[in-house]
């Protein structure tokens, strides 16, 4: 049984306090812009990048503390939680894991100060789930390289200062490079608006200059390392899903206790009580799964393994889709109205079944892992 340190309890309660006092009034309204002002406030309080080294402006802590933040903030304002984990566990995390000291100094310090937004650019029109089919190509050019290709569906691409780009390398292995969006040859072609109202951008790269120092992953084992790093994204996204489920659950509890039909509170109908029991069971299981996966990885000082992180991501996605749907059902027509928090959450959670690996691809990964290696005994699962 893991017990929280005093510092971890303080992080959780401070994040919850800030979210309640500062973020709650505008929660569920971040349809068409990221909650930049909330991120700036958290950065001022040194609460962005808790898992990065202190020398880079981080908290010198781990991904576990980031998950505590995601839960505390996301239960009140899911979009702010997502902005926190985008900075801690997705694109910048790849730079922090694999980049040179000078690259980290340049990029991560800005991220923890809330001054640089970095998006991850993997998908291409012909390469969604099939990431090995990407056509973006890096070629040698004097002392450095040139990058040509296109990327699509990039979250917060509209406001991104930099991109962590998956590409094919001159030796035809897969790798990762960092480019800035204001560089010559980088063009934001189209901004799409998804169902949750977020902008997703299509970029093209035409012979964009990439110095050697900005090639962060290369070599024969590069692709394997890139996939392993993605497991942090899966855990962060899973925790975000659990936070959304908690948010919807709280809304449903509050509503059910005050709405009366047939002369009594609807929370007294057994048909609804069992919904609350099922929702609570799913949330608790999902939450335990994510925290166990993250704690094990932190203790082992390496990214989570593919089986644990894929199960956590898939289960948490199913939990949040189910809980938001049931919470809306409990609200009846009141929950089905535009502008209601559940209307927003309903649109938001649907994308979680597609982003960062579809349900089907996560099932493929889980099946690959258990058919290759069997389902491990508990001591092995903790590796
Ligand atoms: C909200 C959101 C945010 C996103 N943000 C980003 C981002 O920031 N950066 C980025 O690079 N990308 C981003 N994406 C893109 C995302 O990574 C892709 O949408 C995802 O990888 C799936 O690719 P696709 O949409 O092309 O679907 P496809 O790969 O074309 O799949 C279509 C359908 O076929 C199924 N399918 C495909 N292959 C298999 C298979 N082998 N077995 C079984 N079923 C299969 C899929 O599961 C899916 O149901 C985002 C997407 C969404 C929805």
């Amino acid at each position: 049984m893991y017990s929280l340190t005093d510092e971890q309890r303080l992080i959780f309660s401070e994040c919850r306090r800030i979210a309640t006092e500062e973020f709650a009034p505008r929660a569920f309204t971040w349809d068409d812009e990221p909650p930049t002002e909330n991120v700036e406030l958290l950065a001022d309080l040194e609460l962005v990048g808790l898992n990065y080294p202190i020398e880079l402006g981080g908290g010198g802590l781990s991904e576990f503390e980031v998950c505590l933040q995601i839960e505390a903030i996301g239960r009140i304002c899911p979009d702010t939680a997502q902005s926190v984990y985008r900075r801690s566990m997705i694109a910048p995390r790849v730079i922090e894991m694999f980049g040179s000291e000078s690259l980290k100094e340049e990029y991560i310090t800005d991220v923890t100060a809330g001054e640089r937004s970095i998006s991850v650019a993997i998908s291409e029109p012909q390469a969604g789930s099939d990431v090995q089919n990407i056509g973006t190509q890096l070629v040698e050019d004097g002392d450095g390289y040139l990058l040509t290709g296109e990327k699509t569906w990039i979250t917060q691409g509209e406001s991104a200062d930099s991109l962590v780009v998956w590409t094919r390398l001159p030796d035809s292995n897969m790798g990762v490079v960092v480019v800035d969006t204001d560089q010559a040859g980088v063009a934001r072609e189209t901004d799409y608006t998804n169902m949750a109202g977020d902008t997703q951008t299509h970029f093209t790269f035409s012979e964009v200059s990439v110095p050697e120092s900005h090639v962060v992953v290369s070599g024969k084992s590069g692709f394997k390392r890139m996939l392993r790093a993605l497991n942090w994204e899966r855990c962060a996204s899973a925790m975000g899903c659990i936070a959304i489920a908690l948010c919807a659950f709280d809304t449903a509890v509050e509503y059910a206790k005050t709405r009366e039909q047939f002369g009594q509170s609807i929370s007294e109908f057994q048909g609804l009580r069992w919904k609350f029991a099922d929702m609570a069971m799913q949330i608790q299981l999902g939450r335990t799964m994510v925290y166990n996966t993250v704690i094990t990885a932190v203790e082992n000082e390496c990214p989570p393994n593919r089986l644990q992180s894929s199960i956590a991501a898939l289960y948490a996605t199913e939990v949040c889709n189910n809980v938001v749907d049931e919470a809306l059902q409990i609200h009846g027509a009141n929950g089905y109205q535009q502008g209601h928090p559940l209307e927003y959450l309903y649109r938001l959670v649907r994308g979680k079944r597609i982003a960062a690996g579809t349900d089907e691809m996560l099932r493929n990964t889980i099946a690959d892992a258990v058919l290759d290696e069997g389902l491990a005994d508990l001591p092995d699962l903790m590796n």
Side-chain angles (χ1 to χ4, degrees):
M1 176 78 176
Y2 192 93
S3 50
L4 295 183
T5 64
D6 289 346
E7 184 181 30
Q8 288 163 345
R9 286 182 193 283
L10 185 65
I11 288 168
F12 190 91
S13 61
E14 264 304 280
C15 288
R16 171 59 52 80
R17 183 190 64 73
I18 297 161
T20 308
E21 290 174 8
E22 307 288 340
F23 306 155
R26 280 207 64 189
F28 319 113
T29 66
W30 300 105
D31 285 50
D32 49 5
E33 56 172 330
T36 308
E37 63 198 55
N38 293 353
V39 174
E40 286 168 359
L41 175 66
L42 290 168
D44 287 347
L45 297 167
E46 301 184 349
L47 286 169
V48 172
L50 285 182
N51 54 329
Y52 297 141
I54 291 171
E55 313 82 78
L56 299 175
L61 298 166
S62 76
E63 285 69 24
F64 177 61
E65 284 80 9
V66 177
C67 285
L68 292 174
Q69 271 191 303
I70 300 171
E71 180 180 334
I73 297 171
R75 193 166 182 168
I76 309 289
C77 180
D79 290 293
T80 303
Q82 181 170 347
S83 284
V84 168
Y85 70 72
R86 277 187 73 243
R87 285 164 173 79
S88 305
M89 286 167 77
I90 308 190
R93 184 72 172 98
V94 175
I95 299 174
E96 201 270 325
M97 281 171 81
F98 304 121
S100 65
E101 290 310 314
S102 62
L103 200 69
K104 293 185 209 176
E105 182 71 39
E106 186 182 347
Y107 285 83
I108 304 298
T109 313
D110 282 357
V111 168
T112 51
E115 288 164 5
R116 187 186 290 266
S117 172
I118 309 180
S119 290
V120 63
I122 303 173
S123 306
E124 299 180 7
Q126 80 296 345
S129 304
D130 187 7
V131 286
Q132 296 215 52
N133 194 32
I134 62 175
T136 296
Q137 180 71 50
L138 196 70
V139 294
E140 286 174 5
D141 180 54
D143 289 345
Y145 301 91
L146 295 174
L147 182 76
T148 297
E150 59 183 323
K151 293 288 172 185
T152 195
W153 308 127
I154 310 307
T155 300
Q156 295 189 10
E158 190 187 34
S159 54
D161 302 296
S162 311
L163 300 171
V164 161
V165 184
W166 287 39
T167 182
R168 208 156 279 290
L169 300 169
D171 62 6
S172 87
N173 283 313
M174 299 263 276
V176 175
V177 300
V178 177
V179 299
D180 295 337
T181 51
D182 62 1
Q183 272 186 253
V186 177
R188 288 187 172 94
E189 296 290 348
T190 322
D191 287 327
Y192 299 96
T193 305
N194 67 27
M195 276 172 67
D198 295 331
T199 300
Q200 292 179 262
T201 304
H202 188 110
F203 284 92
T204 56
F205 310 112
S206 310
E207 300 197 327
V208 178
S209 172
V210 179
E212 177 75 49
S213 60
H214 284 52
V215 179
V216 287
V217 179
S218 59
K220 250 188 164 162
S221 64
F223 188 58
K224 222 172 157 183
R225 284 186 289 144
M226 288 148 70
L227 290 182
R228 193 84 201 239
L230 263 190
N231 294 342
W232 278 132
E233 174 171 354
R234 288 187 176 143
C235 289
S237 172
M239 201 64 230
C241 287
I242 296 297
I244 293 172
L246 284 161
C247 180
F249 181 85
D250 291 344
T251 310
V253 168
E254 197 182 322
Y255 184 81
K257 284 186 172 170
T258 51
R259 172 74 176 164
E260 289 193 356
Q261 287 293 282
F262 299 96
Q264 65 184 82
S265 159
I266 62 169
S267 66
E268 289 169 29
F269 296 130
Q270 189 174 54
L272 294 198
R273 295 176 73 80
W274 285 2
K275 285 188 194 295
F276 283 108
D278 286 345
M279 288 190 287
M281 177 175 70
Q282 291 163 12
I283 290 170
Q284 294 296 64
L285 283 173
R287 175 156 57 178
T288 305
M289 180 73 211
V290 181
Y291 278 124
N292 271 348
T293 303
V294 171
I295 289 167
T296 303
V298 169
E299 283 177 350
N300 290 333
E301 296 181 16
C302 69
N305 73 38
R306 63 175 174 165
L307 176 64
Q308 298 294 90
S309 55
S310 300
I311 292 177
L314 179 59
Y315 189 67
T317 306
E318 289 186 350
V319 168
C320 76
N321 272 273
N322 186 50
V323 170
V324 169
D325 188 54
E326 290 290 44
L328 193 154
Q329 188 68 15
I330 289 164
H331 278 71
N334 275 318
Y336 189 60
Q337 302 307 309
Q338 286 191 0
H340 191 282
L342 284 167
E343 180 252 350
Y344 178 62
L345 294 180
Y346 199 80
R347 290 188 281 115
L348 183 65
V349 293
R350 191 58 185 81
K352 307 285 181 195
R353 294 186 55 199
I354 301 166
T358 63
D359 285 5
E360 293 77 16
M361 291 308 291
L362 289 171
R363 281 200 163 78
N364 285 347
T365 304
I366 294 166
D368 285 348
V370 295
L371 292 172
D372 286 355
E373 297 146 22
L375 197 49
D377 290 329
L378 181 65
D380 295 326
L381 267 182
M382 307 305 270
N383 283 316

